[in-house]
Amino acid sequence: MAGAGKTFLTEVPEERTKDNIFSPLVDGRMDKLSPDKKWPLSSGLLAVSINSTLVGFICNSYLRRMCKLRGKGVILGMVPIAGGCALTMQAIWQSTVVVPLLKGNLKCPLCAELRGSLVNFTFGALYPLVLAVPINGALAAMYKTIEVPKLSSKTSSARFAEFWVRKLRYFKVQFVTLAIFQALVGGYLAKKQFESIVLLNEMDSGDTEASSVAT
């Protein structure tokens, strides 16, 4: 594919990209793209952050029922889930998908798709569940709704793990569905971002050649 191996940030100083990785995208270049090619770069990061947060809320809702919390500690449970999922996904997606794409380190659409799928599966599905477990366990212990084993020298890690495995056993089908969906979304978005950046590279190359001919 033409332009696939070119870096989008060749003329942008490294210190500038560290401060704002989207700096080369706000100088008018994205205006060259049609809306269907622009949205992966302008709204993709927001989309995966919201997706991760929604999965976090779903996991949180299930665990609240399992821990019999009902209306107790709703805000205490939702705020760290929302903030943790969204901010973590935003940081990870930028550093592992967007920056490598912009710098040309991911040189094929399949590489980008696999990277996006893995990142969104891990931090858009698995991480929200892992984050929701200790939060709801702490709330259940605080409000004394169920007896939650504490991970200590007196409590074996096997008993602690068995407790949460029992709590999560009815959530397996829903979680697998969410995980597959997140992997597909991540792969699709990363592929679209790759295509948009390659298109921008090709446009820049064409403009450069046109300028050279005119000169």
Side-chain angles (χ1 to χ4, degrees):
M1 183 179 292
K6 297 179 181 178
T7 175
F8 186 55
L9 298 180
T10 49
E11 73 283 13
V12 181
E14 185 178 353
E15 59 272 14
R16 187 182 171 196
T17 64
K18 288 180 180 178
D19 294 334
N20 180 9
I21 62 168
F22 288 105
S23 55
L25 299 178
V26 296
D27 61 2
R29 295 194 213 181
M30 278 209 301
D31 293 338
K32 301 176 184 178
L33 298 174
S34 60
D36 63 313
K37 294 296 184 182
K38 185 189 297 185
W39 76 262
L41 297 176
S42 61
S43 306
L45 192 59
L46 177 63
V48 290
S49 298
I50 291 175
N51 256 8
S52 178
T53 302
L54 290 176
V55 171
F57 286 158
I58 293 171
C59 296
N60 187 58
S61 176
Y62 171 81
L63 284 168
R64 285 185 62 82
R65 293 197 301 273
M66 292 297 99
C67 293
K68 300 179 181 178
L69 285 167
R70 297 185 177 89
K72 299 175 181 178
V74 175
I75 302 300
L76 288 176
M78 291 182 68
V79 170
I81 291 287
C85 291
L87 294 177
T88 300
M89 173 56 80
Q90 188 174 45
I92 296 296
W93 189 269
Q94 282 188 154
S95 62
T96 62
V97 179
V98 177
V99 170
L101 283 173
L102 291 174
K103 290 185 176 181
N105 295 334
L106 290 175
K107 300 182 184 298
C108 68
L110 180 60
C111 301
E113 197 170 350
L114 291 174
R115 176 77 63 89
S117 295
L118 180 60
V119 169
N120 212 38
F121 166 78
T122 304
F123 294 95
L126 190 59
Y127 175 75
L129 178 62
V130 172
L131 182 63
V133 166
I135 290 174
N136 285 281
L139 289 173
M142 183 172 70
Y143 290 108
K144 296 180 172 58
T145 55
I146 61 171
E147 186 178 348
V148 181
K150 296 180 180 179
L151 190 58
S152 64
S153 57
K154 295 181 179 179
T155 304
S156 67
S157 57
R159 180 168 173 251
F160 180 83
E162 183 184 356
F163 172 83
W164 287 110
V165 167
R166 286 202 312 271
K167 291 295 179 186
L168 294 170
R169 69 184 183 274
Y170 298 116
F171 191 56
K172 286 186 294 186
V173 175
Q174 296 94 319
F175 178 75
V176 169
T177 303
L178 289 171
I180 293 173
F181 174 76
Q182 289 293 73
L184 292 174
V185 168
Y188 176 78
L189 177 60
K191 183 180 178 182
K192 287 298 181 181
Q193 288 180 335
F194 174 87
E195 292 173 352
S196 297
I197 290 170
V198 167
L199 183 59
L200 275 175
N201 283 338
E202 292 174 347
M203 288 179 175
D204 288 344
S205 297
D207 292 344
T208 301
E209 290 174 4
S211 300
S212 299
V213 171
T215 303

